[in-house]
Amino acid sequence: MYRTRKRVAILLSTVALLIISILSTVSLVPAAREKNKNAMPFVLGTASALFCLASVVIYKIRSEISDRVDKKIMYTGETALLTEFIEKLRFCYSLDDFYDAIASVLEIRGDCSVLYVDKIKNYVLYNSPSRLSCSPEVMNTLQLNYNAEWKKGIFYIGDNYGIVSDSSQARGFFLSNASHHLYVFCRYTKLFDFEVLKKLFEEFCRFQSRTQTISNLSEISALSKEC
């Protein structure tokens, strides 16, 4: 929906630009021919200037429409929940910060169950205090379905904890990056716009990279003190 609305906005603004350009040229050129042929260069220059002016105006209108669509989709309804989580994730610099963001937004506000797993160590880094995310059966199923070599990306999870392609059949989703899996179980997953999941995945990858860098710097600092 988000991407479709943006495409419609761009298409409409482009069409408007073409119409304005055509109408201005069509109205000016015949008038110049009737009055003075020498005026043609001036008229064509004026038409070009109008075209440039229209381009600037349409660009600003397009940007305004894009911002409004962004606010309409990303900051309303259920999608707003993930947008809020993304904004908190931008300022997470440790796993504790990450867990606090999960608890305050996804669990308390969104009533979601979350499971965060290091697949290489086969170690649960975080799980929500719920029957679903604490269930050994669920954990074993996820472990069997998704190994440490699972490809990077965003995936919808169905009722049997397998992959589904249709969001309407999803009971949750998970993000896979650097052999870490973040599972989010939520019955209203179908109401999330996919664009917000893409933004969440990008920010999740940045968070992992950021915390790894901080961890490496801390280790270097510790070694330096020992020396």
Side-chain angles (χ1 to χ4, degrees):
M1 182 182 294
Y2 176 84
R3 186 176 297 179
T4 300
R5 289 193 181 185
K6 278 204 168 184
R7 285 176 177 172
V8 170
I10 291 172
L11 177 61
L12 290 177
S13 60
T14 303
V15 170
L17 173 60
L18 290 173
I19 292 174
I20 292 172
S21 301
I22 292 171
L23 289 178
S24 61
T25 304
V26 168
S27 61
L28 290 173
V29 171
R33 284 179 177 175
E34 291 179 3
K35 292 182 178 180
N36 188 351
K37 292 183 179 181
N38 294 329
M40 281 298 295
F42 173 77
V43 171
L44 292 175
T46 302
S48 298
L50 288 174
F51 178 82
C52 293
L53 177 62
S55 298
V56 173
V57 172
I58 293 300
Y59 174 78
K60 291 186 176 181
I61 292 174
R62 183 187 299 176
S63 298
E64 179 68 21
I65 292 173
S66 179
D67 290 341
R68 289 188 179 184
V69 170
D70 187 77
K71 291 179 181 178
K72 178 68 176 177
I73 300 298
M74 296 298 169
Y75 293 89
T76 59
E78 286 71 14
T79 297
L81 175 76
L82 291 187
T83 299
E84 181 182 352
F85 181 64
I86 291 169
E87 291 175 349
K88 282 188 173 293
L89 188 54
R90 289 195 180 107
F91 299 97
C92 290
Y93 298 95
S94 67
L95 287 175
D96 287 337
D97 293 340
F98 184 44
Y99 302 153
D100 287 342
I102 290 174
S104 62
V105 180
L106 297 182
E107 293 175 351
I108 295 175
R109 289 176 55 78
D111 197 25
C112 302
S113 294
V114 180
L115 186 62
Y116 187 39
V117 183
D118 181 338
K119 297 299 292 185
I120 291 180
K121 297 179 181 179
N122 195 27
Y123 182 73
V124 175
L125 297 169
Y126 181 89
N127 59 327
S128 298
S130 66
R131 292 181 62 183
L132 191 153
S133 56
C134 292
S135 168
E137 181 182 354
V138 173
M139 291 186 185
N140 289 336
T141 301
L142 294 174
Q143 181 180 347
L144 291 172
N145 287 352
Y146 315 112
N147 57 31
E149 289 75 34
W150 192 265
K151 59 186 177 180
K152 177 179 179 179
I154 311 161
F155 307 91
Y156 288 120
I157 305 173
D159 285 327
N160 61 352
Y161 307 110
I163 296 296
V164 294
S165 58
D166 188 352
S167 63
S168 64
Q169 300 175 1
R171 70 171 302 174
F173 64 90
F174 85 92
L175 311 179
S176 173
N177 185 58
S179 298
H180 283 67
H181 292 179
L182 177 66
Y183 302 92
V184 179
F185 301 100
C186 177
R187 282 294 183 183
Y188 54 86
T189 297
K190 64 181 180 181
L191 300 178
F192 295 140
D193 193 284
F194 187 72
E195 193 69 23
V196 78
L197 293 180
K198 289 173 60 179
K199 291 178 181 295
L200 173 57
F201 180 70
E202 291 171 0
E203 201 58 49
F204 174 65
C205 294
R206 292 193 191 101
F207 163 73
Q208 287 186 306
S209 177
R210 187 164 59 244
T211 53
Q212 185 61 51
T213 300
I214 292 172
S215 177
N216 292 340
L217 291 174
S218 298
E219 289 180 6
I220 293 171
S221 177
L223 290 172
S224 300
K225 289 180 180 178
E226 291 178 2
C227 296

